[in-house]
Amino acid sequence: MSTSQSHESKNQSWGGRFTESTDAFVEQFTASITFDQRLYKHDIAGSRAHARMLGKVGLLNSTDVEAILNGLNQIEAEIEAGSFDWKVSLEDIHMNVEARLTDRIGLAGKRLHTGRSRNDQVATDIRLWLRDQIDHIGYAIRRLQTGLIQVAEQEADTILPGFTHLQVAQPITFGHHMLAWFEMLQRDYERLMDCRKRVNIMPLGAAALAGTTYPIDRDYTAELLGFERPTRNSLDAVSDRDFAIEFTSFASLLLMHLSRFSEELILWTSAQFDFIRLPDRFCTGSSIMPQKKNPDVPELVRGKSGRVFGHLMALLTLMKGQPLAYNKDNQEDKEPLFDTVDTVLGCLRAFGDMMPHVQTKPEKMRKAAMQGFSTATDLADYLVRKGLPFRDAHEVVGKAVGLGVQTGRDLSEMSLAELQSFSDVITDDVFTVLTLEGSVAARNHLGGTAPEQVRKQVAIAKALIAE
Ligand code: ARG
């Protein structure tokens, strides 16, 4: 006799064929109630719609439907008041709610499960839950984009060095840099909304795997729950979690972007760059070094990308070996998905709060832009306009830069005679192209860094997010 069978009775939802009760550890090990109770609202919403559908097609009488709907309302209120008694012995959210319903209303509660299974129920719950989360996340992305547009507009004329290989490359405008982030977020937003279309399909009615013998009306249930349509294949409906993987892929790309933004903010707040200031409320100090002000928010966001990438890998691995249809493996979909949503919402909130309050240090950025010969390409382009082939112009400017390195001066700090010693086509109009302002203003075409283009793109961005 096993000593671990400390609990009294067989499971009331499926214990009929069993001759002994579940091992106590197995009961705990297989239960999901500690985490899937988070789905309660959507589980109850699904049950409400299912009950109304059963009423519509005549499988439940109106008294039973009423009793079920009232009972579900009361259960929802109990859960929200914190007085619901969650039972591990009832395994998951579905059986906890159903058992409590039967406690409260008797026989009608036992009729609710007609024509459905926990397999289509759980797939429906997750999709309903995720659809709501997608809407919250969409809003949070829009909020962050709004902040970026605001900074871009304020800083359309602010110049900083642009980098390639983290070496000073060409001067750019801060507004243009903010709008690069805006574009990445715009693609993330579009991916999210595209993913939403595939999330918003209803598995309910697939029952365990093959459908059901009752004359159910799936279109009606789908309409009640706001789904686009019911799924077309019952095996697919209960078994695939590709929509969760797709969402987590979206989240991984978003976090990859936020992690890159974070990396730049971290660099920019360092003493070596010193391009921006983050308000104190988004930073923390060191317990030993009194001078420290650490950019914890971006550092943490950069770190959190790792956990989301991990969840993507977990979900892909969870799914890859499963034969059709439902397998208990799928119970493992929830924690990675929940944590992905929490992480995404947290990171977006932190960035959304912080970005509008980033303060730039224009003199520092200007000084840095003056240091790395950032207008060298402008000089080459100038020589091309005067008739030199680009490769020769490149060579000429390379020599001028060599002199600058030797003598510690920028190209704009050389005399006309010095510059002319490298090429006799140079005249005194060269100095207008060597200034930082001249350099950014000259890149005045769609997608370029000129302040005029930044202002145009700000207007376009505003219209895009207002859609
Ligand atoms: N807790 C389960 C899950 O999350 C619900 C579905 C259980 N179905 C079953 N046949 N055991 O996947």
Side-chain angles (χ1 to χ4, degrees):
M1 198 181 84
S2 163
T3 50
S4 59
Q5 289 169 8
S6 52
H7 52 302
E8 346 65 62
S9 61
K10 292 180 295 173
N11 186 293
Q12 51 182 296
S13 304
W14 44 251
R17 64 152 292 171
F18 286 73
T19 53
E20 59 176 4
S21 53
T22 319
D23 175 271
F25 174 71
V26 168
E27 179 175 285
Q28 243 187 55
F29 185 70
T30 53
S32 52
I33 191 60
T34 50
F35 49 87
D36 71 9
Q37 53 180 266
R38 199 170 163 168
L39 296 171
Y40 81 90
K41 235 182 195 325
H42 303 89
D43 188 76
I44 289 173
S47 289
R48 274 194 196 108
H50 183 66
R52 287 176 60 189
M53 182 278 290
L54 292 177
K56 177 174 181 267
V57 301
L59 286 164
L60 281 183
N61 66 37
S62 57
T63 323
D64 282 352
V65 175
E66 273 310 294
I68 289 170
L69 295 179
N70 288 334
L72 289 171
N73 287 346
Q74 283 160 2
I75 290 171
E76 189 168 23
E78 279 176 18
I79 295 173
E80 273 157 18
S83 59
F84 191 90
D85 184 16
W86 300 106
K87 294 199 173 96
V88 174
S89 59
L90 289 168
E91 213 177 307
D92 56 26
I93 179 67
H94 324 295
M95 295 201 290
N96 268 270
V97 170
E98 191 191 310
R100 178 72 184 131
L101 185 66
T102 303
D103 283 353
R104 293 194 78 111
I105 67 169
L107 276 184
K110 291 192 182 178
R111 294 198 175 105
L112 173 62
H113 213 52
T114 311
R116 81 173 178 187
S117 150
R118 280 185 295 150
N119 297 353
D120 60 343
Q121 199 181 351
V122 70
T124 303
D125 290 5
I126 307 168
R127 284 171 181 268
L128 281 174
W129 179 85
L130 188 57
R131 189 180 70 188
D132 275 357
Q133 305 309 315
I134 285 175
D135 292 341
H136 294 312
I137 292 168
Y139 178 81
I141 295 178
R142 284 303 194 220
R143 179 168 173 263
L144 172 54
Q145 285 182 300
T146 304
L148 291 172
I149 293 173
Q150 196 180 311
V151 181
E153 194 164 21
Q154 279 158 17
E155 309 284 351
D157 298 283
T158 309
I159 291 174
L160 76 159
F163 297 86
T164 60
H165 314 270
L166 202 58
Q167 310 289 322
V168 170
Q170 291 170 352
I172 55 170
T173 49
F174 200 85
H176 193 53
H177 201 113
M178 292 300 108
L179 291 178
W181 291 352
F182 174 91
E183 290 293 329
M184 297 175 217
L185 289 171
Q186 180 60 22
R187 290 192 294 279
D188 290 328
Y189 184 85
E190 289 169 11
R191 265 188 285 274
L192 178 67
M193 290 306 144
D194 201 52
C195 168
R196 190 187 191 281
K197 294 181 204 157
R198 283 174 291 279
V199 169
N200 199 24
I201 310 289
M202 188 192 71
L204 210 58
L209 76 163
T212 174
T213 56
Y214 302 101
I216 57 174
D217 181 347
R218 298 185 68 208
D219 287 317
Y220 182 64
T221 321
E223 190 189 317
L224 291 176
L225 292 170
F227 280 113
E228 181 65 30
R229 60 172 173 87
T231 52
R232 289 186 290 258
N233 182 292
S234 60
L235 298 171
D236 175 45
V238 292
S239 67
D240 208 347
R241 296 293 182 267
D242 59 351
F243 66 91
I245 299 176
E246 187 176 347
F247 171 80
T248 311
S249 309
F250 143 80
S252 296
L253 285 170
L254 171 71
L255 263 287
M256 177 276 289
H257 285 147
L258 293 181
S259 181
R260 295 188 76 185
F261 304 173
S262 296
E263 176 64 11
E264 295 201 311
L265 294 177
I266 294 161
L267 287 170
W268 290 352
T269 54
S270 71
Q272 287 66 32
F273 281 79
D274 201 21
F275 288 179
I276 59 163
R277 197 182 156 272
L278 292 179
D280 287 357
R281 63 183 182 281
F282 299 111
C283 299
T284 61
S286 156
S287 56
I288 176 169
M289 296 169 283
Q291 85 284 11
K292 288 299 287 284
K293 177 176 158 183
N294 298 326
D296 285 39
V297 168
E299 287 175 73
L300 208 47
V301 171
R302 187 178 57 186
K304 281 181 188 291
S305 60
R307 85 159 62 197
V308 172
F309 300 171
H311 294 325
L312 173 60
M313 214 36 68
L315 290 174
L316 283 166
T317 313
L318 168 70
M319 189 63 30
K320 78 180 263 302
Q322 289 189 48
L324 298 184
Y326 176 88
N327 301 280
K328 183 77 169 183
D329 313 40
N330 281 344
Q331 184 162 290
E332 285 288 305
D333 63 354
K334 287 164 205 64
E335 289 160 293
L337 190 61
F338 292 166
D339 189 66
T340 299
V341 166
D342 292 342
T343 305
V344 163
L345 282 171
C347 293
L348 283 171
R349 160 131 197 222
F351 256 73
D353 287 349
M354 184 174 68
M355 281 315 296
H357 304 287
V358 165
Q359 293 156 10
T360 57
K361 298 184 173 181
E363 319 73 50
K364 296 284 174 63
M365 293 194 276
R366 210 187 151 74
K367 208 174 144 213
M370 288 295 288
Q371 270 163 10
F373 303 99
S374 64
T375 58
T377 318
D378 297 85
L379 180 56
D381 293 344
Y382 168 90
L383 294 171
V384 167
R385 285 197 297 276
K386 297 265 173 169
L388 262 66
F390 184 78
R391 275 294 150 232
D392 294 343
H394 190 285
E395 170 81 17
V396 167
V397 179
K399 289 193 172 129
V401 166
L403 176 68
V405 172
Q406 263 171 32
T407 58
R409 284 174 306 158
D410 184 55
L411 297 172
S412 62
E413 292 164 333
M414 291 175 193
S415 70
L416 182 59
E418 277 174 313
L419 290 169
Q420 283 171 335
S421 73
F422 299 108
S423 167
D424 54 14
V425 303
I426 295 176
T427 53
D428 66 356
D429 59 352
V430 72
F431 292 104
T432 58
V433 311
L434 293 181
T435 63
L436 298 177
E437 283 71 17
S439 173
V440 293
R443 289 171 169 74
N444 196 9
H445 55 77
L446 174 67
T449 198
E452 194 182 322
Q453 292 298 326
V454 173
R455 279 184 268 273
K456 275 190 189 163
Q457 289 303 323
V458 160
I460 291 170
K462 281 181 184 171
L464 206 57
I465 65 171
E467 269 170 15

